[in-house]
């Protein structure tokens, strides 16, 4: 039953995405939304919400598909694979961003280098905050 509750939370999150998208699209028609980015963000949120609802309906169509999805998400091998893939992606991103900062500064593109450096700093700061929270939990 715990997995069904998790699926319900995902459904409510998808509905929230659609609502956020509708708000952004609505704001794009006002004076506040004078640029086209707000409507683009709204469309992206709405599409993400619709896609998640379709996925939810597909998963919950019968007990067998719910069971298969639960196995896919809780199987130790699958969890290890996506954890290692996420870790590898993080490591590659950090190295690529650090290299990009150096290259941008060498090319006298200081402003772009500073933006990438702040992004890199933010990523590492989020990592350390999460690390300390999880280390206290376990």
């Amino acid at each position: 039953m715990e997995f069904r509750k998790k699926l319900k939370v995902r459904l409510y999150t998808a509905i929230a995405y659609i609502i956020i998208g509708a708000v952004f699209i609505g704001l794009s028609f006002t004076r506040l939304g004078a640029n086209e980015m707000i409507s683009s963000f709204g469309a992206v949120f709405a599409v993400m919400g619709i896609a998640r609802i379709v996925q939810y309906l597909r998963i919950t169509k019968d007990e067998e598909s719910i069971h298969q999805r639960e196995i896919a998400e809780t199987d130790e091998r699958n969890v290890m694979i996506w954890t290692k893939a996420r870790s590898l992606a993080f490591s590659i991103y950090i190295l690529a961003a650090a290299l990009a900062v150096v290259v941008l500064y060498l090319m006298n593109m200081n402003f772009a280098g500073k933006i990438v450096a702040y992004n890199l700093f933010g990523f590492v700061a989020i990592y350390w905050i999460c690390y300390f929270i999880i280390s206290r939990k376990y």
Side-chain angles (χ1 to χ4, degrees):
M1 236 356 122
E2 184 70 27
F3 189 71
R4 283 190 172 277
K5 193 179 291 186
K6 191 177 191 180
L7 289 175
K8 282 278 189 202
V9 168
R10 290 179 187 173
L11 174 67
Y12 297 143
T13 304
I15 292 170
Y17 285 167
I18 292 173
I19 292 170
I20 290 169
V23 168
F24 280 172
I25 290 171
L27 279 175
S28 71
F29 294 114
T30 66
R31 188 176 156 121
L32 292 174
N35 69 28
E36 61 202 33
M37 261 180 68
I38 292 178
S39 64
S40 298
F41 278 136
V44 168
F45 269 100
V47 168
M48 283 187 334
I50 291 168
R52 295 294 285 180
I53 287 175
V54 168
Q55 182 184 35
Y56 174 81
L57 293 175
R58 189 185 45 124
I59 291 170
T60 59
K61 67 181 175 189
D62 60 5
E63 285 297 319
E64 181 60 29
S65 62
I66 293 173
H67 182 67
Q68 291 296 325
R69 183 62 180 202
E70 184 175 11
I71 288 172
E73 289 188 22
T74 58
D75 180 52
E76 287 182 27
R77 181 177 177 273
N78 287 339
V79 171
M80 186 261 313
I81 289 170
W82 64 257
T83 303
K84 286 193 177 281
R86 187 182 303 174
S87 173
L88 184 60
F90 175 79
S91 298
I92 290 171
Y93 177 81
I94 294 299
L95 290 173
L99 182 64
V101 169
V102 172
V103 169
L104 287 169
Y105 273 103
L106 288 175
M107 294 174 57
N108 287 329
M109 299 176 73
N110 295 341
F111 184 71
K114 195 178 288 189
I115 290 173
V116 176
Y118 285 142
N119 184 283
L120 179 62
F121 171 76
F123 231 87
V124 173
I126 290 169
Y127 168 78
W128 279 108
I129 291 168
C130 293
Y131 179 85
F132 287 124
I133 290 171
I134 292 172
S135 68
R136 287 183 185 202
K137 186 176 179 180
Y138 298 105

